């Protein structure tokens, strides 16, 4: 009798395995036909294994799939970052969601300073992973303040560091110093992920990783960086996704950002390209102010000028493309437009 029961049990297990295999195969075939299946990142598996109440579930639409066009960086997440970001989101989402509220005055102030200095405002999230926005934060290595400056770097960036006055703890002054340092690093690497790695671990470690890997792509050289530095970069990416619900120019490698920029250039029809004019501009222009003054809706403006605000914040220049008649209007009002843009940038922070 015991032998017969074991025999029946083995048959039932076999039938169940067969059923599950068929179900999985059927779903995989359906997904493949609908263009949702990718051999590198299978988003359907994420949806099946993550419970409905898990905060990671909101992440499923951010994964890159083999058929997903590079239309906008806001929905891109490098496959190599997925596992880390999922786990980080699970552990820190609640804390960071609360920080969105109490940290808003600090974020607003930091973003304005960063933009004035020509650094993307989203680099403010570096202060989150450096210090949790705490002015009195002190690391084991002696780094102090919201931006965690070491004494030597702080002094080189113009901060006073002494027994009675330590400007590393001053939110306003340390943010100006951080912007200056970030610009310096970006001038060296032209890649925000490498900037973040160098900010944490030093230029020497990044140069060593570039030399050893033969690459300047963070995802290829990361294993040659100290573990703390490579995780620092991933923490920044994860924090950005949690705080913004998407990525940005600073969560991409240089090549990925270039890809998206080139994609934006190709969104216009041949007729639109023929009837448009291209002009290099410099200054703290704002896309909404430009569009308003030339009587062009912001969606159309962005179609002609992908990533306008991001690029002009980083480089200070931009190759502006507009329909011919709109370009004439822009040139007639450009000083007024620039004045309005700067006033908007320098407007007082509302608490």
């Amino acid at each position: 009798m015991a032998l017969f029961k074991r025999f029946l049990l083995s048959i039932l297990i076999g039938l169940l395995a067969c059923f599950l295999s068929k179900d999985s195969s059927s779903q995989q075939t359906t997904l493949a036909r609908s263009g949702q299946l990718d051999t590198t990142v299978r988003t359907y598996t994420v949806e099946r294994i993550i419970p409905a109440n898990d905060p990671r579930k909101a992440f499923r639409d951010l994964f890159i799939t083999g058929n997903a066009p590079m239309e906008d960086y806001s929905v891109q997440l490098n496959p190599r970052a997925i596992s880390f970001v999922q786990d980080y989101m699970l552990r820190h989402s609640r804390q960071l969601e609360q920080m969105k509220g109490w940290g808003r005055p600090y974020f607003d102030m930091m973003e304005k300073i960063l933009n004035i200095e020509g650094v993307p405002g989203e680099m403010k999230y570096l202060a989150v992973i450096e210090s949790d926005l705490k002015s009195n934060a002190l690391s084991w290595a002696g780094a102090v303040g919201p931006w965690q400056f070491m004494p030597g770097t702080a002094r080189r960036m113009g901060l006073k560091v002494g027994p009675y006055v330590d400007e590393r703890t001053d939110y306003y002054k340390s943010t100006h110093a951080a912007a200056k340092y970030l610009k310096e690093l970006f001038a060296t690497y032209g890649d925000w992920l490498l900037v973040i790695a160098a900010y944490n671990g030093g230029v020497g470690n990044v140069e060593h990783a570039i030399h050893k890997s033969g690459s300047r792509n963070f995802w290829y050289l990361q294993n040659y960086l100290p573990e703390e530095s490579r995780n620092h970069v991933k923490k920044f990416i994860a924090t950005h996704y949690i705080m913004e619900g998407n990525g940005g120019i600073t969560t991409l490698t240089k090549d990925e950002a270039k890809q998206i920029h080139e994609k934006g250039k190709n969104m216009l029809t041949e007729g639109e390209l023929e009837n448009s004019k291209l002009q290099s501009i410099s200054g703290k222009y704002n896309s909404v102010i430009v569009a308003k003054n030339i009587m062009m809706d912001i969606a159309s403006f962005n179609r002609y000028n992908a990533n306008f605000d991001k690029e002009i914040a980083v480089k200070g220049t931009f190759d502006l493309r507009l329909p011919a008649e709109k370009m004439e209007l822009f040139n007639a009002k450009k000083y007024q437009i620039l004045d309005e843009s700067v006033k908007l940038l320098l407007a007082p922070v509302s608490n």
Side-chain angles (χ1 to χ4, degrees):
M1 180 62 73
L3 183 64
F4 181 71
K5 284 182 178 179
R6 283 199 296 272
F7 175 72
L8 283 178
L9 183 61
S10 67
I11 291 177
L12 286 172
I13 291 172
L15 288 172
L16 180 60
C18 181
F19 174 79
L20 290 174
S21 174
K22 277 179 141 185
D23 178 64
S24 175
S25 174
S26 173
Q27 181 166 4
Q28 185 166 330
T29 303
T30 303
L31 286 163
R33 287 174 179 167
S34 65
Q36 296 174 29
L37 179 65
D38 174 56
T39 55
T40 305
V41 182
R42 292 181 169 87
T43 57
Y44 77 95
T45 59
V46 175
E47 293 190 7
R48 292 179 69 186
I49 63 173
I50 297 179
N53 62 347
D54 192 313
R56 291 176 297 174
K57 188 169 178 62
F59 232 71
R60 66 184 188 276
D61 297 327
L62 300 175
F63 300 151
I64 294 176
T65 63
N67 300 296
M70 289 278 287
E71 288 181 355
D72 188 273
Y73 58 65
S74 65
V75 294
Q76 304 302 318
L77 181 64
N78 193 295
R80 296 174 183 87
I82 288 175
S83 178
F84 185 98
V85 173
Q86 283 181 335
D87 292 339
Y88 195 83
M89 192 175 189
L90 192 61
R91 294 195 307 271
H92 300 286
S93 283
R94 185 173 181 180
Q95 171 197 348
L96 292 175
E97 285 293 337
Q98 291 173 344
M99 191 183 289
K100 282 183 185 180
W102 66 259
R104 182 180 173 186
Y106 302 105
F107 285 138
D108 288 348
M109 176 271 291
M110 288 175 174
E111 184 167 357
K112 286 189 176 181
I113 291 173
L114 292 169
N115 284 333
I116 289 168
E117 296 289 347
V119 175
E122 56 206 280
M123 289 301 290
K124 63 192 175 188
Y125 298 125
L126 187 55
V128 173
I129 58 172
E130 289 286 344
S131 67
D132 285 332
L133 290 184
K134 295 174 182 175
S135 64
N136 61 349
L138 172 64
S139 78
W140 63 268
V144 169
W147 292 95
Q148 288 292 278
F149 274 114
M150 294 295 287
T153 307
R155 291 190 182 101
R156 191 165 66 82
M157 293 300 120
L159 295 177
K160 295 177 182 177
V161 180
Y164 303 110
V165 177
D166 191 341
E167 293 181 339
R168 292 179 293 174
T169 64
D170 185 300
Y171 283 104
Y172 184 82
K173 291 180 179 179
S174 66
T175 300
H176 273 289
K180 185 178 177 182
Y181 187 41
L182 290 168
K183 279 173 69 176
E184 180 182 287
L185 293 173
F186 188 78
T188 300
Y189 298 110
D191 183 309
W192 289 110
L193 299 186
L194 296 186
V195 166
I196 294 164
Y199 191 99
N200 173 260
V203 170
N205 280 321
V206 174
E207 293 297 330
H208 172 79
I210 290 172
H211 175 72
K212 283 290 187 181
S213 67
S215 173
R216 297 179 72 88
N217 183 311
F218 170 78
W219 300 107
Y220 299 143
L221 62 78
Q222 62 168 318
N223 290 328
Y224 295 95
L225 290 169
E227 183 180 7
E228 181 186 345
S229 295
R230 68 172 176 264
N231 285 342
H232 211 66
V233 175
K234 295 173 188 177
K235 286 178 184 178
F236 177 86
I237 294 171
T239 299
H240 191 293
Y241 270 87
I242 294 169
M243 301 296 268
E244 298 281 345
N246 56 34
I249 198 73
T250 54
T251 62
L252 299 169
T253 65
K254 184 178 180 179
D255 288 340
E256 288 168 341
K258 184 179 178 182
Q259 249 188 300
I260 289 164
H261 179 70
E262 293 300 319
K263 177 74 177 176
K265 285 182 178 177
N266 297 326
M267 290 176 70
L268 301 176
T269 66
E270 287 185 18
E272 287 172 327
L273 285 170
E274 288 176 8
N275 294 318
S276 68
K277 286 187 176 181
L278 192 65
Q279 177 177 314
S280 181
I281 63 170
S282 61
K284 305 297 183 183
Y285 287 98
N286 177 277
S287 62
V288 175
I289 300 298
V290 176
K292 180 193 76 170
N293 277 276
I294 63 174
M295 293 177 286
M296 188 174 186
D297 69 86
I298 190 64
S300 296
F301 179 86
N302 287 335
R303 198 161 58 84
Y304 277 82
N305 301 282
N307 303 324
F308 179 88
D309 291 316
K310 301 286 184 183
E311 286 201 21
I312 210 157
V314 173
K315 301 176 183 176
T317 63
F318 191 84
D319 291 331
L320 181 71
R321 184 180 291 278
L322 293 172
E325 70 279 6
K326 298 295 184 185
M327 187 66 81
E328 289 180 15
L329 191 54
F330 171 80
N331 283 321
K333 304 176 69 175
K334 66 180 181 180
Y335 296 113
Q336 175 188 330
I337 294 170
L338 182 58
D339 183 58
E340 284 187 39
S341 298
V342 172
K343 284 179 179 176
L344 177 66
L345 189 64
L346 299 177
V349 176
S350 58
N351 295 326

